[in-house]
């Protein structure tokens, strides 16, 4: 289990594929990829040596970014499915931004482990979705979090002069 093969981020239009966490076009970014795992969502990521807090342990900001992008990607997956689409269909998926982010660090996160974010998605409003995430290193929960993801407002789109 090293890669999410069908990821919602692959479907984002180029204008919205630049996020440092999950944007496929941001060459310096993490390139998080979120897909389905049954009725839950999954993102896998192997931290690099530069993602160190102290020797042997992962920087907490990486975990927060993982939970954040996993949350918005999971909301996009859920609304896309609700609208009758799956990854690979020709329809453009909805894009979300973070309305709120809460992270609890449970245990130190060892370097050298694949991190697995597993999400549970709940619709709370037509334009807001809550995603609860557990992040595992091996079989140990190292962080939990919650994202309230909001459908991206039209004001985020670039204006042409």
């Amino acid at each position: 289990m090293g890669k999410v093969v069908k990821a919602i981020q692959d479907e984002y239009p180029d204008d919205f594929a630049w996020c440092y966490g999950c944007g496929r076009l941001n060459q310096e970014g993490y390139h998080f990829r979120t897909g389905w795992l049954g009725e839950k969502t999954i993102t896998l990521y192997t931290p690099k040596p530069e993602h160190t807090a102290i020797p042997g342990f992962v920087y907490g900001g990486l975990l927060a970014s993982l939970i954040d992008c996993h949350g918005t990607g999971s909301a996009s997956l859920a609304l896309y499915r609700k609208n009758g689409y799956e990854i690979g269909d020709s329809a453009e998926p909805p894009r979300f931004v973070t309305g709120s982010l809460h992270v609890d660090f449970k245990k130190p996160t060892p370097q050298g482990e694949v991190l697995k974010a597993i999400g549970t998605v709940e619709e709370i409003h037509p334009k807001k979705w809550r995603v609860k995430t557990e992040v595992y290193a091996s079989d140990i929960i190292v962080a939990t979090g919650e994202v309230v993801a909001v459908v991206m407002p039209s004001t985020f789109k670039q204006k042409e002069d």
Side-chain angles (χ1 to χ4, degrees):
M1 180 180 283
K3 182 179 179 184
V4 173
V5 177
K6 291 186 175 184
I8 194 68
Q9 290 86 354
D10 294 337
E11 306 296 319
Y12 292 161
D14 289 353
D15 287 352
F16 299 111
W18 291 93
C19 172
Y20 187 81
C22 65
R24 71 180 184 284
L25 299 177
N26 187 327
Q27 296 203 9
E28 302 299 321
Y30 297 129
H31 301 131
F32 297 139
R33 298 170 49 78
T34 307
W36 286 111
L37 181 66
E39 293 302 310
K40 295 193 180 275
T41 57
I42 185 167
T43 301
L44 302 170
Y45 187 74
T46 303
K48 297 177 182 169
E50 59 265 26
H51 301 140
T52 297
I54 58 173
F57 296 97
V58 175
Y59 157 66
L62 172 75
L63 297 169
S65 293
L66 175 60
I67 291 169
D68 185 15
C69 287
H70 176 78
T72 58
S74 295
S76 183
L77 278 169
L79 183 53
Y80 200 50
R81 181 173 275 178
K82 181 180 178 184
N83 291 339
Y85 302 105
E86 295 293 334
I87 297 171
D89 291 347
S90 61
E92 183 177 308
R95 192 68 170 87
F96 283 78
V97 293
T98 306
S100 69
L101 170 65
H102 178 88
V103 179
D104 289 310
F105 299 98
K106 301 296 186 179
K107 296 207 179 271
T109 304
Q111 276 286 2
E113 299 279 339
V114 174
L115 301 180
K116 179 172 57 173
I118 304 292
T120 304
V121 186
E122 168 189 3
E123 183 176 8
I124 55 177
H125 178 276
K127 292 187 176 187
K128 290 184 181 181
W129 295 69
R130 176 179 296 121
V131 181
K132 295 182 179 180
T133 300
E134 295 177 329
V135 179
Y136 295 83
S138 295
D139 293 327
I140 298 168
I141 293 178
V142 295
T144 60
E146 181 179 284
V147 169
V148 173
V150 179
V151 174
M152 181 182 287
S154 60
T155 56
F156 272 49
K157 296 182 180 174
Q158 289 184 355
K159 295 180 172 77
E160 294 183 24
D161 296 324

